[in-house]
Amino acid sequence: MARRAKTTDLNSTVPAPAEPSIDGSDQFLRLMSHEMRTPLNGVIGMLGLLTRTRLDGAQRAYAEAAQSSAEHLLGLVNDLLDYARLEAGRLEFDPAPVEVEALVRGVAELLSPRAHDKGLEIVWSVSGDVSDIMADEGRLRQVLFNLAGNAVKFTDAGGVRIAVERIGGSRARPRLAFIVDDTGPGVPPEARERIFEEFGHVDASDATRFGGAGLGLAVVRRLAGAMGGTVVVTDRPRQDNSDMSTGSRFRFEAAFDAVAGAAPRPKPLTGITVAVRSPDPFVAKAATDQIVASGGEASDDAAIVLVDHAGAVKEFGPGAVAPLPASGRGVILLKPSERELIARYRAIGFNGYLIKPLRRASLAERVLAAVQAAEPVNDAAPRKAPAEDDRVVPVRFAGIRVLLAEDNPVGALLAKTLLRREGCVVETAATGTEAVAAMKRARYDMVFMDMRMPGMDGPAATRAIRAAGDKTPIVALTANAFAEDRKACLEAGMDDHLVKPLEPDALRAALTRWTNRDNRFKVAV
């Protein structure tokens, strides 16, 4: 489907004609974005490497404090640059097909390490009647990430829930609600407008206690208005009997064109009933919603039971395991850090596991496997075991040949160190011209290409490589988080993109995706 960029005046929700060129202020912001983020990314990345070395207690505390301060500064720079672009009054939108479920899942999984480190649960669900939509995926992701990231930041106990529901509209243009619930302190009524203003906080101490310039929600409101939508905050409706704090509910609503001809999501659990046992209301609610979205029903007396390991910890203490349900058919729910318990649960009879935050497709697959386990075995049709979750499976990349094109010495050292720790054989190039020459004289399994290099930049080098017929996977490395930069790398022929500073988990995920030929798929902007 053709992609069409449009420029929106942020003081109005009426689309304006597309601007044919980038003005001086936008060029300045792009330059400053790169020049400010690049050294900060180097500081954060090298401190990350330092904290993974052998340090004494004081040294580790100093390194972690420096890393936390640098990350706070990077977040501040990101907020200021984003807001400066919005304050300029015009912003490009690039509508394209968006798979809402994949978008929401991605945001939840990106935030899950931060949430789990705080002892929080983070969950997501998308109603079964929500179709794929036409939208600017980068802008929509930014709205959702800012709202959910804010919820994780301000919540000390309990969790965060991200949900998408259809609330009206027509088949061709549905109206959707993107909801972020948390169990944090809530927002008092008198502050509910102020927090969406520039540098706005619930109270003056928030800037000191939690960090941030108070621009994240101002950016959200501007983007929501540019998409013809609204964003509000209320108290979270009390729908459980737990001792959780009431917390907040942020709600972004907007109408979107549906993707013409998109197939409805499959409902593999039609006719199947599943029970959910979790001490966390958010986990129970999200699991139930995903069961229903897959065509199933949730019932406390179902034979197949999803059991949250957190319940065993809460009832019996650390080191305990949950008992197998009386029906003998159970699927255990674990955090990625609890992967070592998978073998123990299999040994006591559980049919499988699911990693939190739950994935709807994996949930349906595990439930169907549990159903089949109770059926007579048909030798003529052997059963295929569900695939292992990529978030817990150890992956080895020994011998994988990688070309790293990066002109910044600190960035090159960081990326090369992380790649070699994964077992990769790394060759480096400092310019796009060197990268093109290296691709002509040798074969690589994968290329990591910096977007901005002297002379021939990353996109130009990629176009030259593709023009020669080389289809080696190329992943862009960029210090910028602008949607335009993601679009530029994909249009040049790159397959994926990573935002600096490089994180080991993100790098490992890219290696897994692009060195496994069966799992390759080009990432959308």
Side-chain angles (χ1 to χ4, degrees), residues 73-348:
L73 181 56
L74 180 61
L76 182 61
V77 168
N78 288 340
D79 283 347
L80 288 171
L81 289 170
D82 284 342
Y83 188 76
R85 300 190 80 213
L86 293 172
E87 188 66 12
R90 305 184 73 79
L91 186 69
E92 282 193 353
F93 280 72
D94 188 23
V98 176
E99 186 183 347
V100 176
E101 188 171 271
L103 172 68
V104 177
R105 188 190 87 179
V107 170
E109 292 185 4
L110 189 61
L111 289 169
S112 64
R114 192 188 310 175
H116 292 162
D117 285 347
K118 293 184 67 175
L120 306 175
E121 297 284 2
I122 184 166
V123 304
W124 66 271
S125 63
V126 176
S127 296
D129 58 353
V130 172
S131 61
D132 292 352
I133 59 174
M134 295 295 296
D136 186 311
E137 184 167 349
R139 308 301 182 197
L140 193 54
R141 182 187 294 108
Q142 186 173 6
V143 168
L144 203 55
F145 186 84
N146 281 16
L147 292 177
N150 222 44
V152 171
K153 179 195 293 188
F154 287 95
T155 301
D156 292 326
V160 173
R161 171 177 171 261
I162 309 170
V164 184
E165 302 172 355
R166 180 171 174 173
I167 55 171
S170 63
R171 181 184 295 273
R173 189 170 172 79
R175 187 169 182 83
L176 305 182
F178 294 79
I179 298 167
V180 176
D181 285 339
D182 66 57
T183 57
V187 180
E190 64 272 16
R192 289 176 183 172
E193 279 299 313
R194 185 168 67 244
I195 61 172
F196 289 105
E197 297 172 357
E198 297 85 349
F199 313 108
H201 296 281
V202 171
D203 62 59
S205 67
D206 284 351
T208 302
R209 291 169 55 215
F210 297 101
L215 290 173
L217 292 180
V219 169
V220 166
R221 174 158 282 185
R222 291 283 188 114
L223 289 173
M227 287 187 273
T230 59
V231 60
V232 297
V233 59
T234 61
D235 289 334
R236 178 177 68 89
R238 204 60 185 268
Q239 297 175 335
D240 55 73
N241 298 318
S242 73
D243 55 0
M244 277 185 170
S245 167
T246 300
S248 302
R249 165 169 289 186
F250 285 82
R251 184 182 180 98
F252 162 55
E253 294 184 12
F256 301 90
D257 291 335
V259 175
R265 277 184 285 160
K267 297 186 180 296
L269 298 185
T270 300
I272 297 175
T273 305
V274 185
V276 180
R277 296 179 188 169
S278 173
D280 188 281
F282 280 177
V283 172
K285 171 65 173 169
T288 298
D289 288 347
Q290 290 189 3
I291 290 166
V292 173
S294 299
E297 295 181 12
S299 173
D300 291 341
D301 58 0
I304 299 170
V305 186
L306 306 185
V307 181
D308 193 346
H309 172 71
V313 174
K314 184 176 182 179
E315 185 172 355
F316 304 113
V321 295
L324 184 68
S327 65
R329 288 186 283 173
V331 177
I332 194 69
L333 313 185
L334 302 166
K335 292 179 180 177
S337 60
E338 296 164 340
R339 60 173 65 89
E340 74 280 355
L341 295 172
I342 293 173
R344 290 181 64 186
Y345 276 110
R346 279 177 169 156
I348 64 176

Side-chain angles (χ1 to χ4, degrees), residues 456-514:
M456 179 182 283
D457 62 11
T462 300
R463 283 190 287 269
I465 292 168
R466 295 298 187 229
D470 194 317
K471 297 182 179 180
T472 302
I474 300 176
V475 175
L477 303 178
T478 175
N480 295 341
F482 293 153
E484 297 93 316
D485 296 295
R486 293 193 293 268
K487 178 185 175 185
C489 77
L490 298 178
E491 289 184 344
M494 298 180 181
D495 301 283
D496 202 349
H497 51 81
L498 292 177
V499 177
K500 303 175 186 177
L502 293 180
E503 293 287 344
D505 288 346
L507 189 67
R508 201 172 295 121
L511 287 167
T512 301
R513 179 182 299 128
W514 296 109

